[in-house]
Amino acid sequence: MTDEKPFLDIRNAKKSYGKLEVLKDISLRVNRGQIVAIIGPSGSGKSTLLRAINDLDPLTAGEVWLEDVQINKKLPHRQYEKHINQVRQNIGMVFQHFNLFPHLSVRENVTLAPKMLKGLSDDEAEELAREQLEKVGMIDRIDYYPSRLSGGQKQRVAIARALAMKPKVMLFDEATSALDPELVEEVNLVMKKLAEEHMTMVIVTHEMGFAESVCDRVLFMDQGVVVEEGPPEKIFRNPDNERTQNFLRKHLANANR
Amino acid sequence: MDVDLMMRVYPFFLKAAVVTIELSVLTTILGLIMGSLGAAARLSRFAALRWIGAAYVSVIRGTPALIQLFILYFGGPQIGIQLDAFSAGVIGLGVNIGAYMTETIRGAIIAIDKGQREAARTLGMSQVQSFRKVVLPQAARLMIRPLGVNINALIKGTALVAPISVIELTYTAQRYIGSTYKPFEMFLLAGVLYMVIIYVTGRGIAWLDRRARIV
């Protein structure tokens, strides 16, 4: 790791639901252009950590910074709303279940937020939509409604929708977990393309092979703590921690079954 | 069955049917307003508003509509509310059906997957923007049919204003029974006209529902 000033900085993140601690003092620094994968068993807190980055699941304690802005600032409701809406425009998020807007066409899904929030004209929005849909290989479906797309296609549109806001960071919350196996690859390819363009990304995933080939750094989380972190070759080939070893062994066994 | 008599009186029943339709339309409008306010209150982030919304729904649904109308029309003057029968009918029925519509509208809104709102919020849209552009358009489609059920009930419910002498269908039937002693014919006539109103409304709702289907 470099000693460069971190781009995205999570400091001492803690989160509990009543007595249940789901995040126990986690810190994570991501440099510009870095790609970090978070792996771990379900219930380990990895999605919660990801969703804390854009304050979708606010932390109980700790700070999240993007460049020199604290994302999870404590502010009176109205000011907070203004602040967070501004901040979130810089953070793209892709969900496990796509969450495309079913009442809008592919084009409208992509252009809704940029038009509304950045005041783009129809022509500008059209150009933007075409550019982003081109990138994810969905330009020929621009007039379709989500119900007529496959899961992989939906997820690619969802990525285009997030990219249309020109975010500084992209968060992927198990983006391929809900997909049929044969559709995973097309989404992975899009994510690889983003990686090549040096998009800063935090990826919660169960795709170990993908994480190994794309990421700069891997975090293994279990029971609300980061058990082990390091470069992918280290974590996947030669992990130090017994829990990491067990998890990977089980995961491999499942994958080969 | 005295068909001749029915032919002779039916123009008066048609006039009364127009009153029933007017009552129904105005009550629907008031009901939708009350229902939207009620749903907004029930879904508010302020506990006090949520409580008011819940109280409105449980009081109205927990008492007979007829009693509510009587309190408003007969009891109203005692506490300084003086309304003519027609206005009392619209307000009473509208506030009544509004409680049912509150639950219909609220139900449709909470039926929208929370991922929809989250996706909108992560793009940077405000609460209001996410609601207006993402949640509401989807919820509106979901609520057409159940609101149709509410409206169906409301049209039949307009008969409840007969006892406070609004000259609508049921009142008219009763009045002609008084002079003709032919309850079978008179109620049959009124019933058929109710059915026509309800049938046409039902078709309208079904048409709206089809048109609003998500492609």
Side-chain angles (χ1 to χ4, degrees):
Chain A
M1 244 209 300
T2 59
D3 50 15
E4 193 185 330
K5 190 166 170 282
F7 191 55
L8 178 68
D9 193 3
I10 303 174
R11 302 175 191 164
N12 307 101
K14 290 179 192 167
K15 168 99 182 165
S16 31
Y17 295 105
K19 287 212 154 160
L20 180 73
E21 278 186 284
V22 282
L23 297 178
K24 301 167 187 165
D25 198 5
I26 292 185
S27 293
L28 168 65
R29 316 177 112 206
V30 183
N31 294 333
R32 188 192 292 268
Q34 230 183 13
I35 300 164
V36 176
I38 307 174
I39 61 169
S42 44
S44 58
K46 54 193 194 307
S47 278
T48 309
L49 180 65
L50 192 76
R51 291 163 58 90
I53 293 176
N54 58 9
D55 219 25
L56 219 48
D57 274 346
L59 293 173
T60 314
E63 295 180 357
V64 185
W65 291 75
L66 179 64
E67 294 184 296
D68 43 12
V69 177
Q70 188 187 348
I71 296 169
N72 63 338
K73 258 194 272 191
K74 296 274 169 279
L75 291 168
H77 182 77
R78 291 187 95 123
Q79 278 164 271
Y80 168 80
E81 279 294 313
K82 222 176 142 190
H83 157 79
I84 200 71
N85 294 335
Q86 199 60 47
V87 167
R88 282 179 180 153
Q89 295 189 25
N90 298 319
I91 308 173
M93 187 159 197
V94 175
F95 301 86
Q96 183 177 358
H97 296 290
F98 332 123
N99 299 348
L100 284 185
F101 306 134
H103 60 300
L104 301 178
S105 68
V106 165
R107 171 189 283 108
E108 292 163 334
N109 264 278
V110 177
T111 57
L112 177 68
K115 273 170 121 170
M116 194 189 300
L117 303 171
K118 295 186 169 174
L120 262 57
S121 70
D122 288 349
D123 288 349
E124 289 166 333
E126 177 71 19
E127 196 184 327
L128 177 71
R130 293 190 158 274
E131 181 192 328
Q132 301 307 331
L133 289 168
E134 199 83 63
K135 183 178 281 180
V136 300
M138 288 296 294
I139 190 72
D140 53 330
R141 297 287 190 272
I142 190 166
D143 290 314
Y144 281 45
Y145 278 80
S147 58
R148 294 184 55 202
L149 303 178
S150 72
Q153 293 174 329
K154 283 182 193 169
Q155 196 60 297
R156 280 146 66 198
V157 172
I159 294 171
R161 176 177 70 179
L163 290 175
M165 290 304 288
K166 310 274 180 191
K168 295 175 179 170
V169 187
M170 285 285 285
L171 311 177
F172 291 85
D173 191 2
E174 301 197 22
T176 55
S177 296
L179 296 177
D180 291 337
E182 73 271 21
L183 302 178
V184 169
E185 195 50 32
E186 62 185 70
V187 175
N188 281 348
L189 280 174
V190 170
M191 290 168 71
K192 269 188 188 139
K193 207 161 163 186
L194 289 181
E196 283 156 17
E197 293 171 9
H198 305 292
M199 173 64 83
T200 310
M201 302 200 263
V202 184
I203 301 171
V204 168
T205 186
H206 289 292
E207 297 276 322
M208 302 306 158
F210 177 74
E212 185 166 0
S213 66
V214 172
C215 298
D216 302 305
R217 199 144 57 93
V218 178
L219 265 74
F220 172 67
M221 280 181 69
D222 192 14
Q223 295 179 5
V225 294
V226 176
V227 176
E228 191 168 352
E229 70 168 294
E233 52 272 23
K234 165 81 183 148
I235 300 290
F236 289 117
R237 304 285 165 203
N238 190 21
D240 294 326
N241 193 289
E242 200 184 329
R243 273 148 84 187
T244 318
Q245 291 162 5
N246 280 334
F247 172 75
L248 289 172
R249 197 176 314 120
K250 270 187 205 150
H251 202 88
L252 216 61
N254 281 331
N256 290 338
R257 202 160 47 191
Chain B
M1 193 162 73
D2 192 340
V3 178
D4 268 3
L5 173 67
M6 285 167 79
M7 293 307 287
R8 251 182 310 157
V9 296
Y10 105 88
F12 302 102
F13 277 70
L14 275 186
K15 260 194 201 154
V18 171
V19 176
T20 292
I21 292 168
E22 284 169 0
L23 265 173
S24 300
V25 170
L26 292 173
T27 301
T28 300
I29 293 169
L30 180 59
L32 287 171
I33 293 169
M34 293 302 293
S36 306
L37 292 175
R42 292 218 54 182
L43 296 170
S44 166
R45 63 191 175 89
F46 300 110
L49 283 178
R50 287 201 300 276
W51 189 89
I52 291 170
Y56 167 50
V57 170
S58 59
V59 167
I60 296 293
R61 296 203 308 187
T63 52
L66 193 60
I67 298 290
Q68 294 161 20
L69 270 176
F70 282 177
I71 289 178
L72 182 64
Y73 185 67
F74 296 119
Q78 256 177 275
I79 54 168
I81 303 171
Q82 204 93 17
L83 291 167
D84 62 273
F86 185 84
S87 311
V90 169
I91 292 170
L93 292 174
V95 169
N96 178 271
I97 205 69
Y100 293 87
M101 289 180 166
T102 292
E103 290 303 272
T104 303
I105 293 169
R106 171 177 162 270
I109 290 169
I110 59 179
I112 303 303
D113 186 81
K114 78 172 175 28
Q116 290 291 311
R117 208 182 126 269
E118 280 183 356
R121 294 306 310 270
T122 54
L123 288 165
M125 291 186 213
S126 70
Q127 286 175 326
V128 176
Q129 288 169 330
S130 323
F131 182 74
R132 277 188 33 200
K133 293 290 181 179
V134 175
V135 178
L136 188 59
Q138 296 181 57
R141 289 164 165 89
L142 278 187
M143 61 180 85
I144 294 174
R145 287 253 169 207
L147 281 176
V149 174
N150 293 147
I151 290 170
N152 176 299
L154 156 176
I155 294 169
K156 290 178 283 191
T158 56
L160 292 172
V161 301
I164 63 172
S165 13
V166 179
I167 305 164
E168 44 67 75
L169 268 177
T170 303
Y171 181 86
T172 302
Q174 286 169 340
R175 202 169 68 178
Y176 279 92
I177 291 161
S179 54
T180 63
Y181 305 104
K182 301 271 189 186
F184 182 79
E185 285 84 349
M186 297 303 108
F187 281 136
L188 189 68
L189 206 46
V192 167
L193 287 171
Y194 275 118
M195 225 187 117
V196 169
I197 297 170
I198 283 171
Y199 177 77
V200 171
T201 311
R203 290 302 296 261
I205 301 277
W207 176 80
L208 262 181
D209 185 59
R210 265 198 315 281
R211 258 197 46 161
R213 280 281 157 74
I214 293 172
V215 198

